[in-house]
Amino acid sequence: MTAKDAARKYPIARIVPDFLVEKFLKTKKPIIMSEIKGITSLTGEKTEGWFIACPLTARQLNDKSLTDLANQRLLECAQLAAELGAQVVGLGAFTAVVGDGGITLSKHSPIPVTTGNSYTVATAIEGTMKAADLIGIIPSESTLAVVGATGSIGKTAAMLLSPQFARTLLVGRDQGRTQAVADQIPGSIATTDLNMLREADVVITVTSADAEIIEPKHLKTGSVVCDVARPRDVQAKVVKERPDVLVIEGGVVSVPGDVDFGMDFGFPEKTAYACMSETMMLALENRIEHYTLGKDVTVKQVEETRDWAAKHGFELAGFRSFEHALEQTAIDRVRKARQDQKERNPAGGTTAIQTP
């Protein structure tokens, strides 16, 4: 969350400077936000749980000088979960991507830990490919780009998807670490330059940046962008300035049963993030063990969570873009923009950026 997101719990945060909000949050202990009821598998198995808030912003979680505080707050979250009766704890959003991906927490937590990144990868891939198909993108003739390619989600998504595409671009903040990933993916190109995205037909972005880094000028006409990052990577002004680009949110999942999350976290009823769903599925499977941890997600884990989803009735919800349901008109508009661009430039390659 950002400092302003704290206003959901503390309304005064709307009018107080961010640095004062963050100073206040550093003094707060984890709190129970709601109880989750009604999760019912297709098999008839049931589970329940709680939302527990770690009261630190994304910027604070990403601040290396606050690593000890972040680890302490996450441990307190796990201890609170155990006291409530939970058997497994899932790390959501920034708590999963900063630091060492739950490894430190797993050594001290009274209950097993998962980041949820395995099912997040599975749903990001499924959603991206479905959206690309709707736009008329043929992977074997197209360029894939993965932003945040050195992270656990980005690296695994790139490894699984790159064989289907003609070309793969890996975008990271550090050239050396990005090249190390590229060395594991035949034919891929490592870069730190976001302008390279102008060559990409399909983009998966999943960085741990605490700011929106992908601007309208970075994107190719008729492309699909799956933004898996929380906070998001794609600037909100892309919606207005680039109607020729389709931006979807990654990992929005329909949860089986008459589920009640007990709070509004910005999604339609009975839907959740994929990372949350992985924790629910571990409980339904009675897999009370550490699952997705650290910077690596294995292909086996991605496939296993995909199988669990089919077994229990978790599935991709409809496409969403910037917290709103995606309308068919937006899909049609981007598909036409892509067709028009292809007619103007049948050889493909880098395209000029349209300005509506």
Side-chain angles (χ1 to χ4, degrees):
M1 68 176 181
T2 66
K4 293 308 178 192
D5 287 332
R8 296 187 183 190
K9 179 66 178 177
Y10 308 104
I12 195 173
R14 295 191 181 95
I15 58 174
V16 173
D18 287 358
F19 78 93
L20 286 178
V21 174
E22 290 190 336
K23 186 176 181 179
F24 168 74
L25 290 175
K26 287 169 66 176
T27 68
K28 302 300 293 182
K29 296 286 188 179
I31 55 175
I32 302 168
M33 297 297 289
S34 69
E35 186 172 359
I36 306 168
K37 301 177 180 177
I39 304 166
T40 306
S41 164
L42 295 177
T43 66
E45 295 291 324
K46 297 183 179 182
T47 190
E48 59 186 18
W50 297 265
F51 275 124
I52 296 175
C54 176
L56 294 173
T57 66
R59 192 205 66 78
Q60 288 174 310
L61 288 167
N62 210 25
D63 185 341
K64 294 189 182 305
S65 69
L66 298 178
T67 297
D68 289 345
L69 175 64
N71 285 332
Q72 178 60 33
R73 288 290 181 265
L74 292 178
L75 178 58
E76 290 167 354
C77 287
Q79 291 170 333
L80 178 55
E83 290 170 5
L84 290 167
Q87 294 178 293
V88 60
V89 61
L91 301 177
F94 240 58
T95 62
V97 299
V98 299
D100 58 8
I103 291 177
T104 297
L105 175 62
S106 69
K107 295 176 181 175
H108 305 283
S109 172
I111 55 177
V113 179
T114 188
T115 61
N117 283 350
S118 297
Y119 191 46
T120 296
V121 174
T123 55
I125 289 174
E126 182 182 356
T128 298
M129 298 305 283
K130 282 186 176 180
D133 183 60
L134 290 173
I135 298 305
I137 295 172
I138 301 173
S140 61
E141 301 174 359
S142 305
T143 296
L144 165 72
V146 178
V147 185
T150 60
S152 61
I153 296 174
K155 183 167 64 176
T156 307
M159 287 180 169
L160 288 168
L161 278 178
S162 63
Q164 302 179 49
F165 284 82
R167 187 164 170 254
T168 299
L169 305 173
L170 305 178
V171 186
R173 286 184 296 183
D174 180 273
Q175 182 65 32
R177 290 197 296 125
T178 309
Q179 185 59 53
V181 175
D183 291 342
Q184 303 173 51
I185 301 176
S188 61
I189 299 170
T191 181
T192 59
D193 185 3
L194 284 171
N195 290 311
M196 290 283 285
L197 296 182
R198 296 174 187 171
E199 302 177 17
D201 303 280
V202 173
V203 178
I204 291 180
T205 183
V206 56
T207 77
S208 57
D210 58 6
E212 299 168 348
I213 60 173
I214 297 179
E215 305 174 28
K217 67 179 183 180
H218 290 142
L219 301 171
K220 178 180 178 179
T221 290
S223 60
V224 168
V225 183
C226 180
D227 192 346
V228 187
R230 296 294 179 275
R232 69 166 66 98
D233 285 337
V234 181
Q235 293 184 349
K237 62 183 180 182
V238 167
V239 174
K240 291 185 178 179
E241 298 184 18
R242 296 302 305 273
D244 56 319
V245 172
L246 190 69
V247 180
I248 61 172
E249 296 174 0
V252 183
V253 173
S254 175
V255 177
D258 189 20
V259 60
D260 178 4
F261 289 108
M263 63 173 285
D264 178 8
F265 55 96
F267 275 18
E269 291 184 357
K270 302 179 183 180
T271 62
Y273 286 119
C275 57
M276 296 157 56
S277 300
E278 180 175 311
T279 311
M280 300 174 203
M281 291 193 292
L282 282 169
L284 289 169
E285 282 287 309
N286 198 29
R287 292 282 293 267
I288 310 305
E289 61 191 70
H290 299 303
Y291 195 68
T292 313
L293 292 176
K295 299 301 182 183
D296 293 306
V297 177
T298 68
V299 172
K300 179 182 177 182
Q301 287 174 314
V302 174
E303 293 174 344
E304 192 168 43
T305 55
R306 189 181 295 156
D307 291 343
W308 291 346
K311 173 182 175 181
H312 294 294
F314 291 79
E315 59 184 8
L316 273 183
F319 290 121
R320 292 178 63 80
S321 183
F322 294 96
E323 301 181 3
H324 293 89
L326 189 64
E327 298 180 352
Q328 183 63 42
T329 53
I331 296 172
D332 295 341
R333 184 174 59 239
V334 178
R335 184 181 179 90
K336 184 176 187 307
R338 182 173 181 83
Q339 291 172 336
D340 292 346
Q341 179 65 35
K342 193 172 183 178
E343 291 173 3
R344 288 194 296 270
N345 182 19
T350 303
T351 63
I353 303 301
Q354 282 191 340
T355 302

